[in-house]
Amino acid sequence: MADFGATDLEALRAQLRAELAAAYPPELRNPGARSDSEAIWGGRAFAGSDDPQSVWMRRAAEKGWTAPTWPKSYGGGGMRPEEARVLAQEMAAGRYRPPLLSFGIWMLGPVLLEYATEDQKREHMPRIVKGEIRWCQGYSEPGAGSDLASLATKCEDKGDHWQIDGQKVWTSYADRADWCFCLVRTDATKKHEGISFVLIDMRTPGVETRPIQLISGESPFCETFFTGVKIPKGNLVGKINGGWEIAKRLLQYERQNISAGFGDGGSVGGGAAGDLGEVAKSYIGLDASGRLADLDLRRRITVNKMDFQALRQTIGRTAAESRAANGPSAATSIIKYAAAEFAKERSELMVEAMGDQGLGWDGDGFSQPEIMAVRGWLRTKANSIEGGTSEVNLNVISKRVLGLPDPK
């Protein structure tokens, strides 16, 4: 690997700054501009769309910015980690919207690079980079949540194809996804060693999705049903009955991604309603010294902000370790657990600071930030469940990070 000096990176920074400014649609500079909120996820629904977000996504994908460190041969940017960091810094400094949000980039792509055949990589990865296909994750089942290896969705060898029958649950955005990366059972006589990893086109006959409404009022999760679903033999990734290894690896990438928003001090640090300390001052008022008048709340907000900074530093350290080790480690469970607890605490402090105004669901008596705060507070309850429950992550930490023995 070449030794990139400060001069090289600063030249790259200047180049990227100019290219970003030229590629970014001016409509997105205006917060009130027309843009479909779903466009940021891409997919078949936005093929050929002139929505400003879709235009931005396509322009960024042409440069490889949606997956900057992926190989150019698969549509990525081919950047070294230090170059990708410069791109991320310039994106943040210029307040550019993310060009694409994608489970394909965050979770599926990295495991395809490790486990897929060359034909599978060339078929799927360029379309992931371009945002042409929106992916969902078929892992949890009604009887297989934390004990994921108990999954029962059946995959039978029918000679010239596989047939899938079963049900998944908590499938995020399954009703809007184009494809699903899915765990299925190919051997009923073994638990972990009887699982395979397959890719399913959601347009295939026999696939049905039903959204599940959450207490926050949103319905991002779905039930997904497979009834006699036929998929090509080439949609099996890795070895038959070798899916558990892929599943564990993908979960590391998922946990790394769930906590990634904490690393840049972005929306998680400030939140939709704004900086926690400043919001509290606006509702509670100041003391004679110009500080938040509620001493106890001031102390807890300060501790929360200190914890946030410590979390950011830890994320930076583990990210560097992941790059050195060519992939995430079990330490992602530490970040996932800490990030979930931080998010819940921060949302609770926000609602507490707003007082009665932090209890609004809708109506003229509440501002949009107040409504978003209470709904966001409810949404954070899922942070300790999705991507592996906090209890499961604590077990992973105890065994694989601390090396503690199983309890007797």
Side-chain angles (χ1 to χ4, degrees):
M1 181 180 292
D3 182 15
F4 270 66
T7 302
D8 298 316
L9 292 178
E10 286 310 306
L12 175 64
R13 186 183 303 279
Q15 176 186 334
L16 289 172
R17 188 175 298 163
E19 291 180 353
L20 285 164
Y24 199 62
E27 300 95 325
L28 295 182
R29 292 288 186 190
N30 177 6
R34 174 188 63 83
S35 185
D36 192 315
S37 62
E38 283 298 306
I40 200 168
W41 290 91
R44 290 171 177 153
F46 291 93
S49 170
D50 64 351
D51 184 278
Q53 176 63 43
S54 296
V55 172
W56 168 228
M57 176 189 70
R58 289 194 291 269
R59 290 176 180 174
E62 288 173 2
K63 299 281 190 178
W65 293 339
T66 55
T69 60
W70 287 13
K72 287 187 176 182
S73 57
Y74 304 132
M79 290 183 171
R80 294 173 172 81
E82 57 266 39
E83 295 176 297
R85 285 196 294 275
V86 171
L87 173 62
Q89 289 165 358
E90 287 304 307
M91 291 274 287
R95 303 181 69 85
Y96 296 105
R97 292 186 68 183
L100 176 65
L101 302 181
S102 171
F103 293 158
I105 289 175
W106 300 331
M107 294 183 278
L108 177 61
V111 298
L112 289 181
L113 281 171
E114 290 188 56
Y115 297 97
T117 65
E118 187 62 23
D119 286 344
Q120 288 172 332
K121 293 174 186 177
R122 293 193 179 278
E123 176 185 0
H124 295 292
M125 296 190 69
R127 293 195 294 171
I128 292 173
V129 172
K130 295 175 183 177
E132 293 176 352
I133 297 296
R134 182 171 180 174
W135 288 83
C136 63
Q137 177 186 19
Y139 270 34
S140 297
E141 297 183 8
S146 295
D147 184 15
L148 180 59
S150 293
L151 65 91
T153 294
K154 184 167 58 175
C155 177
E156 294 182 283
D157 187 343
K158 295 296 185 179
D160 62 345
H161 67 273
W162 301 105
Q163 179 171 309
I164 315 294
D165 290 276
Q167 179 188 354
K168 298 292 180 178
V169 73
W170 310 122
T171 318
S172 300
Y173 307 110
D175 57 332
R176 300 170 185 176
D178 304 308
W179 279 69
C180 176
F181 47 94
C182 190
L183 293 179
V184 294
R185 182 154 300 285
T186 41
D187 188 339
T189 67
K190 302 176 181 179
K191 189 174 182 180
H192 296 83
E193 294 81 12
I195 295 170
S196 296
F197 189 98
V198 299
L199 309 177
I200 302 172
D201 187 332
M202 297 294 280
R203 295 187 301 187
T204 307
V207 178
E208 179 189 358
T209 60
R210 300 175 189 171
I212 302 170
Q213 188 170 21
L214 307 183
I215 57 174
S216 64
E218 299 177 345
S219 300
F221 302 139
C222 297
E223 294 177 289
T224 306
F225 300 89
F226 302 105
T227 307
V229 175
K230 299 177 181 179
I231 66 171
K233 281 296 188 70
N235 285 20
L236 172 73
V237 178
K239 300 177 181 178
I240 187 170
N241 297 326
W244 188 245
E245 178 185 345
I246 302 176
K248 291 189 296 181
R249 189 63 162 164
L250 188 143
L251 281 172
Q252 289 180 333
Y253 285 109
E254 180 182 13
R255 289 163 186 168
Q256 178 176 269
N257 168 68
I258 288 174
S259 57
F262 291 79
D264 59 11
S267 61
V268 180
D275 177 81
L276 179 55
E278 295 305 311
V279 170
K281 288 179 182 179
S282 68
Y283 283 88
I284 296 173
L286 308 177
D287 63 13
S289 301
R291 299 175 299 181
L292 180 65
D294 187 323
L295 176 61
D296 179 62
L297 183 59
R298 186 170 77 222
R299 178 190 61 79
R300 286 184 286 136
I301 289 176
T302 300
V303 170
N304 183 263
K305 288 192 169 189
M306 292 171 64
D307 288 345
F308 173 65
Q309 293 302 324
L311 179 60
R312 287 183 64 190
Q313 295 297 319
T314 304
I315 290 173
R317 175 173 56 80
T318 55
E321 292 172 352
S322 295
R323 288 191 293 270
N326 197 31
S329 68
T332 55
S333 290
I334 300 174
I335 305 301
K336 166 62 171 63
Y337 173 79
E341 294 304 305
F342 171 85
K344 289 192 293 184
E345 180 184 70
R346 186 194 178 283
S347 291
E348 288 167 2
L349 289 170
M350 179 71 77
V351 171
E352 179 181 345
M354 288 181 172
D356 291 346
Q357 292 303 114
L359 301 177
W361 188 253
D362 57 27
D364 295 337
F366 302 97
S367 67
Q368 189 62 23
E370 290 167 347
I371 293 172
M372 292 176 67
V374 70
R375 295 190 182 212
W377 166 66
L378 290 169
R379 177 62 180 83
T380 61
K381 304 306 177 184
N383 294 156
S384 56
I385 301 173
E386 59 197 354
T389 66
S390 289
E391 291 78 10
V392 167
N393 278 296
L394 287 172
N395 282 338
V396 172
I397 293 166
S398 67
K399 294 178 183 179
R400 300 182 187 171
V401 179
L402 301 178
L404 300 178
D406 289 324
K408 295 182 179 179

